[in-house]
Amino acid sequence: FRLPVLSVFIFAYHPTDVISQPRELTLEECYALAKSNYPLIRQQSLIQEASAFSIESISKSLLPQINVNAQSTYQSDVTSIPVKFPGIEIPVPAKNQYKIVAEVNQILYDGGLVNQQKKLAAANAGIEQSNLEVDLYQLKERINGLFFGLLLNAETFKQHELVKADIQNGIARVQALIRNGTALKSSLASLQAEALLSEQQSITLKSARRSYLDMLGLLIQQNLPDSEVLKIPPAILPSKEITRPELQFFQSRKSKLAVSSQILKSQTLPKASLFLQAGAGKPGLNMLSNQFDPYYIGGIKLMWGFGNLYTYKSDKSNLEIEVKKNDIQKETFLFNTRYALVRQESESQKFLKLSDTDDEIIALRKQVKNSTLAQLQNGTVNSSDYLRDVYAEENAAIQKIMHELQYLSALYSEKTLRGN
């Protein structure tokens, strides 16, 4: 396994930067800074807080439930005994009646419904958290593009500076020939025009660098100066395992569906609770009394609603369909990811093979350029011939830079695709 040659360099515009050893911004630091500073990250704590509040509220349903009721009524008739006994007066209740009752209910058995509802709240939070991680992970793709774009820009600029030096060298040679009367001024003008074009290209490269730095700085919330140094990431061998956050999202959704299935089952089970009623009324428990009397009633209550049994089978079938849909979506995601990885692995191998002959091409182009420079000095070729070979060497050098950086970029794109 051959490491790219560029991995031993430090990218900067000025040699003094290497001597002073400025801070080197790494790709991993950019990942971490982008994630920690992205506005969406603040939603993470809100999801946790909301889940905690939901679970707390559900848990309180197991506490004693207290209800207070009061009513005042007037009725058209009351219960009476239409039989008279000598010496006995049977009171007739008043038609206006009053009642105030406090009732306490304590759940004894709910079929596990409350426990399953707490699990459902936690599962919903897990889905939201997983979805958030998916959104945050997509930042890596943006960082990769900007980071490797800046590296390529820096090396292209450095190579362009060497070309400018070659043009200036050619200008000096032609000026000497003109003084000796062995060259035309038009050859000098051609070289000088190319020198101006090179300056324009330098401005374009610097402007592109500034734009890339601004975009990267916005993502990582850092002020990146023009002299910012980016450290070349090492060549890596990405793990073959796929660990993307989307897989956790599918798993969280599957867990929620499993809990929902348990809730369906719990809803079909009977419920039991203790209850205590205490109050006062006119009449109280003695319906024949016309006095306000206190009273209490206590006992055990059993409730079993059969309505959920009617829809249990269809509801459970719907949940099973949702599980199958979730599994299919997961399989589709893995298929698409593996498909993209096949292309990405092919790309990285292509750039690695292309870089094998780059050094030889550059050496040959340099040899031709030096030969043309000597011929230019002897007056056997013109400035156009020299510029052609200068740019041919520059193009070969830039191709080498591009192949090595594209190889690294492909490796890290594969790493991002796999989620490791």
Side-chain angles (χ1 to χ4, degrees):
F1 183 74
R2 183 174 64 81
L3 294 178
V5 176
L6 284 178
S7 61
V8 300
F9 292 120
I10 296 176
F11 285 91
Y13 281 162
H14 305 289
T16 54
D17 290 338
V18 178
I19 296 173
S20 60
Q21 294 182 345
R23 178 182 73 96
E24 297 175 337
L25 183 62
T26 67
L27 183 59
E28 293 297 331
E29 286 175 341
C30 288
Y31 289 154
L33 288 170
K35 182 176 180 179
S36 62
N37 289 287
Y38 198 58
L40 197 61
I41 193 66
R42 294 196 294 271
Q43 190 173 319
Q44 195 170 44
S45 60
L46 296 178
I47 292 173
Q48 295 171 350
E49 289 179 21
S51 176
F53 287 140
S54 296
I55 292 174
E56 182 182 359
S57 297
I58 294 169
S59 298
K60 287 180 179 178
S61 62
L62 292 175
L63 297 176
Q65 304 299 307
I66 302 175
N67 295 304
V68 176
N69 295 306
Q71 68 178 35
S72 173
T73 61
Y74 181 87
Q75 54 197 63
S76 61
D77 200 1
V78 293
T79 301
S80 62
I81 299 176
V83 178
K84 295 184 178 180
F85 298 96
I88 300 175
E89 182 180 353
I90 301 175
V92 179
K95 293 184 177 180
N96 58 316
Q97 299 184 359
Y98 308 93
K99 180 169 62 175
I100 181 169
V101 180
E103 182 175 354
V104 180
N105 284 279
Q106 173 62 58
I107 294 176
L108 295 178
Y109 176 72
D110 66 348
L113 184 60
V114 170
N115 187 46
Q116 295 301 327
Q117 287 175 336
K118 289 194 289 184
K119 289 182 180 179
L120 182 62
N124 283 327
I127 290 177
E128 289 189 62
Q129 186 65 43
S130 299
N131 195 42
L132 176 62
E133 289 297 328
V134 171
D135 292 336
L136 292 174
Y137 193 78
Q138 292 173 355
L139 288 173
K140 284 193 172 184
E141 295 178 2
R142 299 189 201 176
I143 295 295
N144 286 346
L146 292 171
F147 197 90
F148 285 102
L150 277 166
L151 293 179
L152 180 59
N153 174 279
E155 278 300 299
T156 301
F157 184 89
K158 188 163 64 175
Q159 185 60 37
H160 188 68
E161 290 296 294
L162 296 177
V163 172
K164 287 168 63 177
D166 283 337
I167 293 174
Q168 291 299 327
N169 188 21
I171 290 174
R173 299 289 181 91
V174 172
Q175 285 175 335
L177 293 174
I178 291 174
R179 286 194 296 269
N180 294 332
T182 58
L184 298 175
K185 290 185 178 180
S186 60
S187 295
L188 178 61
S190 178
L191 288 170
Q192 288 174 332
E194 288 299 326
L196 292 174
L197 289 173
S198 293
E199 285 297 330
Q200 290 182 342
Q201 183 65 19
S202 294
I203 293 172
T204 300
L205 288 170
K206 288 180 180 179
S207 176
R209 176 178 172 82
R210 185 64 261 166
S211 178
Y212 272 80
L213 284 171
D214 287 342
M215 287 188 287
L216 181 61
L218 181 62
L219 281 178
I220 66 175
Q221 291 295 296
Q222 297 284 316
N223 183 23
L224 303 179
D226 290 334
S227 58
E228 186 69 38
V229 178
L230 304 183
K231 184 175 182 180
I232 296 293
I236 56 173
L237 285 176
S239 169
K240 295 302 180 183
E241 185 180 2
I242 298 176
T243 56
R244 289 279 291 275
E246 287 87 345
L247 297 180
Q248 182 58 47
F249 172 77
F250 292 126
Q251 182 58 45
S252 296
R253 196 158 60 181
K254 190 171 184 177
S255 298
K256 176 189 174 181
L257 292 171
V259 174
S260 298
S261 180
Q262 290 298 316
I263 287 178
L264 282 179
K265 183 178 180 181
S266 296
Q267 288 173 339
T268 64
L269 298 176
K271 312 292 186 294
S273 62
L274 287 174
F275 75 93
L276 174 65
Q277 290 183 357
K282 177 189 175 184
L285 295 181
N286 182 0
M287 297 298 297
L288 299 179
S289 172
N290 272 323
Q291 304 296 321
F292 266 100
D293 295 320
Y295 66 89
Y296 70 89
I297 303 174
I300 297 178
K301 186 187 299 182
L302 179 66
M303 297 172 291
W304 198 348
F306 295 97
N308 290 320
L309 289 173
Y310 302 147
T311 60
Y312 175 76
K313 187 175 181 180
S314 59
D315 290 341
K316 187 172 178 61
S317 296
N318 282 331
L319 285 176
E320 289 172 351
I321 290 173
E322 290 299 319
V323 171
K324 291 177 181 178
K325 286 167 62 177
N326 184 67
D327 290 340
I328 291 172
Q329 290 171 4
K330 178 182 177 181
E331 290 174 12
T332 303
F333 170 77
L334 288 172
F335 176 85
N336 291 333
T337 301
R338 292 190 184 105
Y339 180 84
L341 284 170
V342 169
R343 179 179 177 276
Q344 200 63 59
E345 290 171 355
S346 176
E347 285 287 292
S348 63
Q349 290 304 308
K350 179 186 73 174
F351 294 130
L352 182 60
K353 291 177 180 177
L354 286 173
S355 63
D356 286 341
T357 55
D358 281 332
D359 288 330
E360 186 178 355
I361 293 173
I362 292 173
L364 291 171
R365 290 295 187 187
K366 186 177 185 65
Q367 182 180 342
V368 172
K369 182 200 72 175
N370 292 337
S371 176
T372 305
L373 180 61
Q375 294 176 54
L376 177 66
Q377 190 170 4
N378 293 330
T380 56
V381 298
N382 57 35
S383 58
S384 297
D385 296 323
Y386 174 66
L387 287 172
R388 177 197 62 207
D389 293 334
V390 166
Y391 289 135
E393 183 192 10
E394 178 192 31
N395 185 62
I398 290 176
Q399 286 297 314
K400 171 183 168 63
I401 295 165
M402 287 183 62
H403 292 157
E404 292 179 337
L405 284 176
Q406 285 170 328
Y407 172 66
L408 282 177
S409 179
L411 288 180
Y412 279 87
S413 292
E414 180 185 346
K415 181 175 182 288
T416 301
L417 269 174
R418 293 188 181 279
N420 52 62

